[in-house]
């Protein structure tokens, strides 16, 4: 009876540890999925910005923390990125689409653009820094905060 009791006690401890590991694994996978989605959205944004021209932040030209950013894409179509509710939105011409997954809640999207003027007033290569912050779901009722920064420099010369 003592041996069966010890065995049962050890199995309860082992199964508890096993269930905790499963829970931690699900939480880590949930966070990884959300961050992967955000990374994909940011990579698509920077790729389009690099090949674009005529950078503009809400009519300001150079900007220091604008919430929206527009430019002419490689096909000459006006493209813009902005925060729509809690998601990053892309607008091409008049068509809008959401880039981020519902598991990613974006609370702040900031654009910093430099060198967007034309000579003789500006001899800098155009560059954009994007800072995104918010939370990503890490399971039912759980979230994990994040802040991501990336940059893009215009491929073609604007000098």
């Amino acid at each position: 009876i003592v041996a069966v009791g010890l065995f049962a006690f050890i199995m309860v401890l082992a199964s508890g540890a096993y269930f905790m590991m499963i829970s931690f694994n699900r939480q880590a996978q949930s966070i990884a999925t959300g961050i992967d989605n955000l990374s994909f959205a940011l990579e698509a944004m920077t790729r389009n910005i690099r090949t674009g021209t005529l950078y503009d932040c809400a009519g300001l030209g150079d900007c220091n923390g604008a919430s929206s950013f527009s430019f002419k894409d490689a096909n000459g179509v006006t493209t813009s990125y902005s925060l729509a509710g809690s998601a990053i939105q892309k607008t091409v011409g008049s068509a809008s689409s959401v880039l981020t997954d519902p598991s990613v809640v974006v609370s702040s999207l900031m654009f910093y653009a430099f060198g967007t003027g034309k000579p003789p007033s500006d001899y800098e290569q155009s560059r954009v820094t994007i800072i995104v912050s918010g939370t990503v779901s890490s399971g039912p009722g759980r979230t994990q905060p994040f802040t991501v920064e990336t940059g893009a420099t215009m491929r073609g010369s604007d000098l």
Side-chain angles (χ1 to χ4, degrees):
I1 294 177
V2 172
V4 171
L6 276 173
F7 178 74
F9 179 72
I10 291 171
M11 290 308 294
V12 167
L13 290 177
S15 63
Y18 179 72
F19 288 129
M20 282 182 56
M21 292 302 292
I22 289 174
S23 174
F24 290 147
N25 185 31
R26 285 184 182 156
Q27 184 178 2
Q29 284 183 346
S30 180
I31 292 171
T33 300
I35 294 299
D36 286 348
N37 175 267
L38 180 65
S39 293
F40 180 77
L42 287 174
E43 182 61 31
M45 289 171 63
T46 57
R47 188 179 324 115
N48 288 334
I49 290 170
R50 280 187 191 118
T51 58
T53 58
L54 301 175
Y55 294 174
D56 186 42
C57 291
L60 302 174
D62 281 2
C63 60
N64 196 10
S67 59
S68 66
F69 182 76
S70 64
F71 59 97
K72 295 277 186 184
D73 69 9
N75 299 321
V77 179
T78 300
T79 302
S80 65
Y81 295 103
S82 61
L83 184 61
S86 62
I88 298 174
Q89 178 176 299
K90 176 182 180 180
T91 304
V92 179
S94 60
S96 296
S97 60
V98 173
L99 296 180
T100 52
D101 190 68
S103 68
V104 178
V105 177
V106 178
S107 59
S108 174
L109 175 65
M110 302 299 282
F111 294 94
Y112 297 85
F114 306 97
T116 61
K118 295 290 178 202
S121 65
D122 179 8
Y123 288 101
E124 289 184 67
Q125 184 68 8
S126 297
R127 64 191 187 282
V128 179
T129 301
I130 306 165
I131 300 175
V132 182
S133 60
T135 59
V136 62
S137 174
S138 60
R142 295 180 173 170
T143 59
Q144 182 72 34
F146 68 85
T147 300
V148 179
E149 179 177 335
T150 189
T153 301
M154 185 186 294
R155 281 196 181 153
S157 177
D158 70 337
L159 303 178

